[in-house]
Amino acid sequence: MVQGALRSGAAHRRTVFEMFARRLPETRRYGVVAGTERFLAALENFRFDSETLDYLSRADVVDDATLSWLADFRFSGNIWGYGEGECYFPGSPILVVEGSFAEACILETLALSIFNHDSAVASAASRMVTAAGGRPLIEMGGRRTHEESAVAAARAAYLTGFATTSNLEAGRRYEIPTAGTSAHSFTLLHDSERHAFQTQLDALGHGTTLLIDTYDVTRGVATGIELAGVDLGGVRIDSGDLGVLASQVRRQLDEKGAKNTRVIVTGDLDEYAIQALAVAPVDAYGVGTALVTGSGVPTASLVYKLVARAHGGGAHDPLLPVAKRSIGKPSRGGRKWSTRGLDDSGKATAEYVYDYKPKFGPLERPLLRHLVADGEIVGREPLGEARERHVRSVAELPVSAQRMSRGEPAIPTVFEQRVNA
Amino acid sequence: MVQGALRSGAAHRRTVFEMFARRLPETRRYGVVAGTERFLAALENFRFDSETLDYLSRADVVDDATLSWLADFRFSGNIWGYGEGECYFPGSPILVVEGSFAEACILETLALSIFNHDSAVASAASRMVTAAGGRPLIEMGGRRTHEESAVAAARAAYLTGFATTSNLEAGRRYEIPTAGTSAHSFTLLHDSERHAFQTQLDALGHGTTLLIDTYDVTRGVATGIELAGVDLGGVRIDSGDLGVLASQVRRQLDEKGAKNTRVIVTGDLDEYAIQALAVAPVDAYGVGTALVTGSGVPTASLVYKLVARAHGGGAHDPLLPVAKRSIGKPSRGGRKWSTRGLDDSGKATAEYVYDYKPKFGPLERPLLRHLVADGEIVGREPLGEARERHVRSVAELPVSAQRMSRGEPAIPTVFEQRVNA
């Protein structure tokens, strides 16, 4: 496309591309924006090095004019986006990219890959945090997805409110608190469960969490308390009927006086299983597969579409709205601005999406942050900011947003179109 | 776990870990092993560098004895595995890792992340190849998954028989043939569809594929033929009722004499949609989301379990089978060997999994290849080998393996246990 557009000269036309979701999955009342910081970090280093250019030349993918354009590529436009952690709805302009066609078009794969993955995980994770009702969640899905996705997934989970991750690389890269666990293999390695437990307690102290379901849960708990006393940090149950076992184990611990020993459950949990365990005496949940695979929705299905372009090649030529007109997948032309409409009590009532720059009313919270200004990245922020923004954004939504059932988005999207005078 | 095992000395016990699937998803008649080459390449560089060790020390994750062990880590054991591209079934010992507990246990995350992702994609891709019945498939899912998963997914698709990928990085890294496409934005950028088409034809020649559904399909085809004549390489339809449109477009092309112009369809295709288009005049399919998300099964759910260990720490101490005994997730102890049982005509009849090293009969094809010999990687192979192995492996299965419906694995897994004398 760049090669063609360079040939016709249209490559230099000013354009606006927008990233948005056409709809939400029917299991979701809201989506969660995640990936902004990873996108900006990647954009900072987004160049075509000589090795890449050699390949493109050797494989005859593009012509010399295009190679030369790629060699000089450096994004010089503007990008606005929803704050990371913000909730989004159908049609929300999550990312607005303004630049020449060539430079804006070439960011499509980068933006979509990062946001589609991270937002899918964050959108599922946020529901798990709601379902857990304040109990801590441990991210444990690293082994069920691609090795690099795993690190990004741990980050997405943390920003929606997960307490810790078992992914040490995510801990190192993003300063996320880590939590470990021992596996059945550790118990099986030793000559007895007692020997394995004693070894773990010696190596990690009495605050550690023992995995008690390798042989027999009741005996496992008894052995743990016998060896560590009432200071035992926690026990983990990874199989069987987790609700029944948690109650039984809690009773057994309490009877022994181990009232502070935590009961941690793991094993194919998703938001529904977590919610079903609300009445069980569980102190923390470990979540793996369902988290990293977006709990049934492994991609956010965000798209990146040209919505406006200049007629000529001048830097200040006016932008004309454009949109695909054929059947099936219509899109709305024109650069967008958006706000969250609020009622008197500060609760969200609607997502307003304008195709003109509006005067924001007092009961509207503008949603677009300036992320890149004339090629300079200005929107980076610590992960903690996104984490806090997410808490605020969910708290602002009506309670219906917390339903686990299938249904409509928590608030409607209202498209406000400029009426030409 | 390593820290605990170093403390008890059990870290040095000889062990065998096995990677396998407990079951297949009900939509699958077989799984496809993918990731072997990526795993071996990663293993070659699997070290703990000073930056990582600093983090583990600073974050107080492990003690000094463990840090020192990690600093010297280099896998010195043996690994056997199914050839990449091979079909697998419940209980197939896809990877068998023999080494000290510490060194075998520490490979768990690396192995599972790579194989769970790549095998999930390959298992879905193989069904799409079957459904396409010889028509070429183009991998186009890069924007719907994590940026690095996308590259691995393109590789997994190619090894099961996809013809090309739109992921240029996969092309560069794995020498996979690439195929491009233009988007609606390219048409919308230009002042008319005609101008966009002319530009693309000028830049890429008449063999290019024009996207004809931005405005009106019939007019798009007419314009394409008017500009390129009957040499036009192809047209792409990305929305609407693909079967109906493909027939209509094919008729229109034939009437104009463009009998060699290919009709390419894209747009949320999965194996079922591909199969449904079998009677439509389609020349190639582009597949995106469904491919990179494993078409409903985004992880292969492979697990990595300790199945045998020595009692003492000697290098030649005999291995004892071990297995978790509690409810819910039983596993089978003991090191495994496996073969594909064949009938007289060479068709597969069963997956034999032995807990002893058997004498292989004439109607059994042994499945384990030696991948790592005493720490030395011996099993790397070109991607083309895996691609050919996959064709052979699927061809060997009974015809029921090609059904798209839900059902049982194509062949049963037969566990052969040694009877102690």
Side-chain angles (χ1 to χ4, degrees), chain A residues 1-5 7-8 10-11 13-15 17 38 51-52 55-56 58-59 61 63 101 105 108-110 112-114 116-118 142-150 152 167-172 176 178 181-192 195 199-200 202-204 213-217 219 238-241 245 266-268 289 293 298-306 309-311 322-329, chain B residues 1-5 7-8 10-11 13-15 17 38 51-52 55-56 58-59 61 63 101 105 108-110 112-114 116-118 142-150 152 167-172 176 178 181-192 195 199-200 202-204 213-217 219 238-241 245 266-268 289 293 298-306 309-311 322-329:
Chain A
M1 287 208 283
V2 169
Q3 180 168 326
R7 180 75 68 110
S8 70
R13 286 184 171 181
R14 194 155 70 98
T15 60
F17 280 80
R38 290 215 305 121
E51 198 194 343
T52 304
Y55 163 71
L56 294 173
R58 202 171 63 241
V61 174
D63 63 15
F101 174 77
C105 131
E108 173 169 359
T109 298
L110 185 73
L112 286 180
S113 294
I114 292 176
N116 265 327
H117 174 266
D118 292 11
R143 293 162 177 176
R144 310 292 167 223
T145 187
H146 183 283
E147 61 276 22
E148 278 295 326
S149 308
N167 192 306
L168 290 170
E169 176 59 13
R172 189 187 71 77
I176 299 172
T178 60
T181 174
S182 58
H184 297 108
S185 64
F186 186 80
T187 301
L188 294 169
L189 169 71
H190 290 87
D191 295 333
S192 66
H195 186 206
T199 295
Q200 186 176 335
D202 288 350
L204 299 165
D213 70 345
T214 303
Y215 301 106
D216 175 85
V217 169
R219 212 182 63 201
D238 183 51
S239 51
D241 184 322
L245 288 175
T266 58
D268 287 334
T289 307
T293 59
T299 176
S301 295
L302 302 171
V303 294
Y304 182 91
K305 297 292 170 191
L306 179 70
R309 62 155 173 91
H311 184 73
V322 293
K324 179 171 175 293
R325 283 207 302 269
S326 70
I327 38 179
K329 297 175 181 169
Chain B
M1 286 208 282
V2 169
Q3 180 167 325
R7 180 75 68 109
S8 70
R13 286 184 170 181
R14 193 155 71 97
T15 60
F17 280 80
R38 290 215 304 123
E51 198 195 344
T52 304
Y55 162 72
L56 295 173
R58 200 171 64 241
V61 175
D63 64 14
F101 174 77
C105 130
E108 175 170 358
T109 298
L110 185 73
L112 286 180
S113 293
I114 292 175
N116 265 326
H117 174 267
D118 292 11
R143 293 163 176 174
R144 310 294 167 221
T145 187
H146 183 282
E147 62 275 23
E148 279 295 327
S149 308
N167 191 306
L168 290 170
E169 175 60 14
R172 191 188 69 78
I176 299 172
T178 61
T181 175
S182 59
H184 297 110
S185 64
F186 185 79
T187 301
L188 294 170
L189 170 70
H190 289 87
D191 295 332
S192 66
H195 186 206
T199 296
Q200 186 176 336
D202 288 349
L204 299 164
D213 70 346
T214 304
Y215 301 105
D216 175 84
V217 169
R219 213 183 59 199
D238 183 52
S239 52
D241 184 321
L245 289 174
T266 58
D268 287 336
T289 307
T293 58
T299 176
S301 295
L302 302 171
V303 295
Y304 183 91
K305 296 291 170 190
L306 179 70
R309 61 155 174 90
H311 184 72
V322 293
K324 178 168 175 293
R325 282 208 302 269
S326 69
I327 38 179
K329 298 175 183 170

Side-chain angles (χ1 to χ4, degrees), chain B residues 5-294:
Chain B
L6 285 170
R7 180 75 68 109
S8 70
H12 309 296
R13 286 184 170 181
R14 193 155 71 97
T15 60
V16 177
F17 280 80
E18 253 172 40
M19 188 175 77
F20 59 94
R22 289 202 174 91
R23 68 195 75 81
L24 296 182
E26 59 174 358
T27 47
R28 302 292 152 83
R29 305 311 178 99
Y30 58 89
V32 179
V33 175
T36 316
E37 176 66 16
R38 290 215 304 123
F39 171 70
L40 294 176
L43 183 61
E44 211 152 55
N45 302 309
F46 197 70
R47 305 279 184 283
F48 293 84
D49 60 19
S50 58
E51 198 195 344
T52 304
L53 295 169
D54 284 352
Y55 162 72
L56 295 173
S57 167
R58 200 171 64 241
D60 210 16
V61 175
V62 290
D63 64 14
D64 288 347
T66 311
L67 282 175
S68 147
W69 183 86
L70 290 172
D72 294 337
F73 173 79
R74 199 190 165 94
F75 183 76
S76 70
N78 282 273
I79 302 181
W80 296 263
Y82 277 37
E84 190 164 20
E86 187 66 79
C87 297
Y88 70 81
F89 298 91
S92 296
I94 294 170
L95 202 70
V96 177
V97 179
E98 185 186 296
S100 74
F101 174 77
E103 67 180 350
C105 130
I106 214 160
L107 296 186
E108 175 170 358
T109 298
L110 185 73
L112 286 180
S113 293
I114 292 175
F115 283 98
N116 265 326
H117 174 267
D118 292 11
S119 301
V121 173
S123 299
S126 179
R127 280 161 61 84
M128 294 170 185
V129 171
T130 295
R135 291 173 176 174
L137 290 158
I138 310 164
E139 187 283 307
M140 302 174 57
R143 293 163 176 174
R144 310 294 167 221
T145 187
H146 183 282
E147 62 275 23
E148 279 295 327
S149 308
V151 183
R155 181 182 179 281
Y158 182 68
L159 89 76
T160 67
F162 269 57
T164 48
T165 178
S166 65
N167 191 306
L168 290 170
E169 175 60 14
R172 191 188 69 78
R173 209 181 286 179
Y174 300 119
E175 297 176 27
I176 299 172
T178 61
T181 175
S182 59
H184 297 110
S185 64
F186 185 79
T187 301
L188 294 170
L189 170 70
H190 289 87
D191 295 332
S192 66
E193 188 176 60
R194 175 179 299 267
H195 186 206
F197 285 2
Q198 189 62 61
T199 296
Q200 186 176 336
L201 292 163
D202 288 349
L204 299 164
H206 288 190
T208 192
T209 296
L210 298 173
L211 176 62
I212 53 167
D213 70 346
T214 304
Y215 301 105
D216 175 84
V217 169
T218 305
R219 213 183 59 199
V221 173
T223 306
I225 294 296
E226 211 182 302
L227 297 175
V230 299
D231 297 335
L232 179 61
V235 295
R236 175 162 81 99
I237 314 169
D238 183 52
S239 52
D241 184 321
L242 297 175
V244 171
L245 289 174
S247 297
Q248 179 191 312
V249 165
R250 181 75 268 158
R251 248 192 330 268
Q252 192 183 354
L253 289 169
D254 289 349
E255 279 166 19
K256 303 269 188 188
K259 299 207 182 287
N260 295 321
T261 301
R262 304 196 317 153
V263 175
I264 297 162
V265 296
T266 58
D268 287 336
L269 294 178
D270 61 13
E271 63 269 45
Y272 306 105
I274 292 167
Q275 197 178 46
L277 288 165
V279 295
V282 166
D283 297 288
Y285 304 93
V287 190
T289 307
L291 175 83
V292 298
T293 58

